[in-house]
Amino acid sequence: MSSHLPIVIVVSGPSGAGKSTILQRALVEIPHLRFSVSHTTRPPRPGEREGIDYHFVTRDEFLRLAVAEKFLESAEVHGQCYGTARAEYARAAEDRSDLLLDLDVQGAESVRAKFIDAVSVFVLPPSYEHLERRLRSRGPTDEAAFARRLAVAREELELFPKYDYAIINDDLDESVESLKAIIRAARCRTSRIEPAARKILSTFDPGK
Ligand code: ADP
Ligand code: 5GP
């Protein structure tokens, strides 16, 4: 078992706000950061890859994993099941990385309860019109699915004050820089630096 305790960074925000886009960029640009690949019962969107964007599973398989307590957290979102496997955290610990999670507001709440030093970030679209446009730009889906996501968006947005940080995703480059700065700051917390700092201190007292 690895002694590394990954920093848990949770990103939430309404569907279409731009979370995946920001996360994908940050993951390429920040070393030692791992994306938590969730399980979901929703069908893949065009371009989404099994095991990279999600683990796409049937409802039966999802239930089997839930009963076997394989999930750190799980929730029903927009009529589909989503869950984070405990193995994702274990893998981040193994390869001495921090863990970046894209979770709905219920998932973020569960993770905050389990990891008191988790860092939470809420991504807001600049406006309702931006959100609607971005949702539609992502490709074809039925009108009912659009309407469901837009209706839920307002309720989710109300919860932004529960998060440590918020990013208004207008300019993509700026949003990516903000997320990178948040992660960098989390890595500089005194609690994270303590073992290294103690070692440095000991060099000032070579006799002991
Ligand atoms: P989410 O993961 O929050 O559901 P996505 O990352 O899939 O959202 O983004 C939804 C759509 O909005 C995508 O087509 C994406 O390219 C676009 N998008 C994301 N961020 C921006 C931005 N800052 N400006 C314009 N379009 C954006
Ligand atoms: P989408 O279907 O647009 O990829 O995601 C829909 C919602 O599910 C988003 O709010 C996303 O953050 C959330 N989500 C994705 N994976 C998980 C997960 O493992 N657990 C929870 N609780 N929410 C998730």
Side-chain angles (χ1 to χ4, degrees):
M1 182 76 188
S2 165
S3 61
H4 173 73
L5 294 179
I7 302 176
V8 170
I9 304 129
V10 184
V11 180
S12 299
S15 185
K19 300 178 296 296
S20 318
T21 310
I22 298 169
L23 264 51
Q24 275 168 24
R25 282 265 306 269
L27 282 156
V28 171
E29 295 178 28
I30 304 178
H32 307 297
L33 186 65
R34 221 189 141 94
F35 179 61
S36 170
V37 181
S38 294
H39 285 69
T40 183
T41 56
R42 88 151 161 74
R45 296 192 186 110
E48 282 185 334
R49 296 142 302 168
E50 164 59 37
I52 293 176
D53 301 291
Y54 278 108
H55 297 291
F56 297 99
V57 292
T58 61
R59 213 162 249 270
D60 281 352
E61 175 64 359
F62 193 94
L63 273 176
R64 193 188 64 73
L65 293 167
V67 168
E69 297 191 0
K70 297 288 183 195
F71 293 127
L72 195 66
E73 66 73 39
S74 65
E76 184 153 339
V77 192
H78 313 305
Q80 300 284 354
C81 302
Y82 293 83
T84 306
R86 294 182 193 282
E88 293 297 320
Y89 182 83
R91 273 186 215 116
E94 279 302 309
D95 64 14
R96 308 189 72 75
S97 293
D98 296 320
L99 192 64
L100 189 55
L101 301 98
D102 176 342
L103 302 183
D104 87 311
V105 289
Q106 307 165 74
E109 191 80 50
S110 311
V111 165
R112 267 196 294 260
K114 287 202 171 86
F115 300 91
I116 47 159
D117 53 357
V119 178
S120 60
V121 185
F122 196 91
V123 177
L124 296 97
S127 69
Y128 177 91
E129 284 71 28
H130 282 84
L131 186 65
E132 184 172 14
R133 208 178 316 130
R134 286 181 193 172
L135 269 176
R136 290 190 188 281
S137 78
R138 205 159 53 182
T141 180
D142 59 292
E143 276 306 310
F146 278 132
R148 197 162 50 228
R149 280 167 191 258
L150 285 166
V152 172
R154 203 208 137 79
E155 289 168 32
E156 290 171 329
L157 281 164
E158 301 261 12
L159 296 174
F160 82 87
K162 290 194 162 199
Y163 288 70
D164 299 315
Y165 300 96
I167 296 174
I168 298 172
N169 181 25
D170 193 353
D171 180 85
L172 182 60
D173 288 342
E174 259 183 49
S175 299
V176 173
E177 285 311 310
S178 296
L179 182 62
K180 284 167 67 180
I182 290 165
I183 295 171
R184 188 170 264 250
R187 287 178 171 176
C188 292
R189 278 177 171 169
T190 45
S191 56
R192 302 289 308 182
I193 300 294
E194 183 156 4
R198 296 263 166 234
K199 244 188 213 163
I200 293 166
L201 255 175
S202 72
T203 68
F204 284 78
D205 208 356
K208 274 196 179 171

